[in-house]
Amino acid sequence: MESITSAQNSKIKQANKLKKKRERDKTGNALIEGIHLIEEAAKSNIVINQLFIIDIDRIDGELLEAAQEVYEINLKVAEVLSGTVTPQGLFAVIEKPQFAPDEHQQVLLIDRIQDPGNLGTLIRTADAVGLDLIVLEKGTADPYQDKVLRASQGSVFHIPIITTDLKQFMDEFDGDVYGTTVEGAVSYRQVESQNRFALLLGNEGEGVNQDLLEHTTKNLTIPIYGQAESLNVAIAGSIMMYHLKG
Amino acid sequence: MESITSAQNSKIKQANKLKKKRERDKTGNALIEGIHLIEEAAKSNIVINQLFIIDIDRIDGELLEAAQEVYEINLKVAEVLSGTVTPQGLFAVIEKPQFAPDEHQQVLLIDRIQDPGNLGTLIRTADAVGLDLIVLEKGTADPYQDKVLRASQGSVFHIPIITTDLKQFMDEFDGDVYGTTVEGAVSYRQVESQNRFALLLGNEGEGVNQDLLEHTTKNLTIPIYGQAESLNVAIAGSIMMYHLKG
């Protein structure tokens, strides 16, 4: 097995470039870090092009076989690749899964959510609820960004995520679409759980684009009983997902 | 108005010490940052000992009057006080509110949650739901830590938060106490909303202390329909709070 001891190695430089969304979009690849995420990727039959490991003896043989190429690295190289202060010493370059537009019943629509923790947490909850698709409007955080991957806890490999025009998707969706907003909205409790629905969440500061809100079946809100001005979008979205799922 | 231009000024050094929990516990004070948090503190009648401001003309007169002392600072001093990369240039030293043990009906119990974002978000949701008390076990993140304050969006000033022995609190609480766990738990949907309840959430990795789980009325879980292994604790706790509130 080849050993890489310099951060100037071309494979390391190429892997490191994948921290930029532009490079991920261009190549269709992504860089992921840590045993939990890499195991989730392998379990989900994601193609693992390269595995970079400090301590190869600690890695399961099955995982090594799942990777097309395996390289040993040192701590210096790990520190360059890592997005954290204390790197685990395990990285993979994977092929981002491609999803063909299919028929979907329960969908989460995301209009420009910016915070990676919020997006990752919503992907994790959507997976837990068993939704079958997540659709992102252009301008949403990238699901293959380091912090989103970490907050999603691997759910990014379990549920199809596509980026497309939300308005067009909503027009073609054969089911009720629920927007989320405060003004002119009804309590989410007034809607029953159902087999087919789309839930539309918006940007942390601006909320859902007004133009999209005008094209929903109904707009929902979560009642506030105390003095908080609003709920965090990942919290509100998760409460509504579980409510609609029933 | 006095102008402070050096980070070595004794008032700045004292304010900066409040970033440490030990100093907050010793003095009963806390350092908060940003217009939103400081306005929430003033609205909630929190005592504002000192206000440190770069651009005093941008601050509302009422807020200036609410503070006992006001100082002008420069960017260099703001950078020392700030917990963020781009300081807003507005800081306050406040007295942490003291809450006497009172009769409470709807309570959130937190057993050693570590992530400041999780704790802050839970405080925000508990405020939104209208709970009347939050009880922390020793070892939980400090609510007056920078990142908790930010995630709580000021809700830390709206709802009493105390640190005490959870087991003793549970023994004395006159109402049902619901633990959260996976093993031996029933779906949260099997419990009805009620006027008087306590909800017990646990550490991100370890969950709720087993000893506490054995002293609950019932232990609840949220069903997972997809491939996610679990839900984030702030998400799970928020879903259950809204469910129990009804």
Side-chain angles (χ1 to χ4, degrees), chain A residues 36 40 43-44 121 124-125 127-130 153 155 157-159 188-189 222-235 238-239 242-243 245-246, chain B residues 36 40 43-44 121 124-125 127-130 153 155 157-159 188-189 222-235 238-239 242-243 245-246:
Chain A
H36 178 70
E40 285 296 326
K43 264 197 260 175
S44 308
T121 303
R124 181 176 173 188
T125 305
D127 178 15
V129 174
Q153 296 266 316
S155 287
F157 304 128
H158 302 157
I159 178 170
Y188 73 106
R189 293 189 204 269
I222 295 180
I224 304 276
Y225 304 103
Q227 298 173 67
E229 279 173 24
S230 62
L231 288 166
N232 166 281
V233 66
I235 298 293
S238 297
I239 290 172
Y242 264 94
H243 181 79
K245 180 75 176 195
Chain B
H36 178 68
E40 285 296 327
K43 262 197 263 176
S44 308
T121 304
R124 182 177 173 188
T125 305
D127 178 16
V129 173
Q153 296 266 316
S155 286
F157 304 128
H158 301 156
I159 178 169
Y188 73 106
R189 293 188 204 273
I222 295 180
I224 304 277
Y225 304 103
Q227 297 172 70
E229 278 172 25
S230 62
L231 289 166
N232 166 281
V233 65
I235 298 293
S238 298
I239 290 171
Y242 264 94
H243 181 78
K245 180 75 175 192

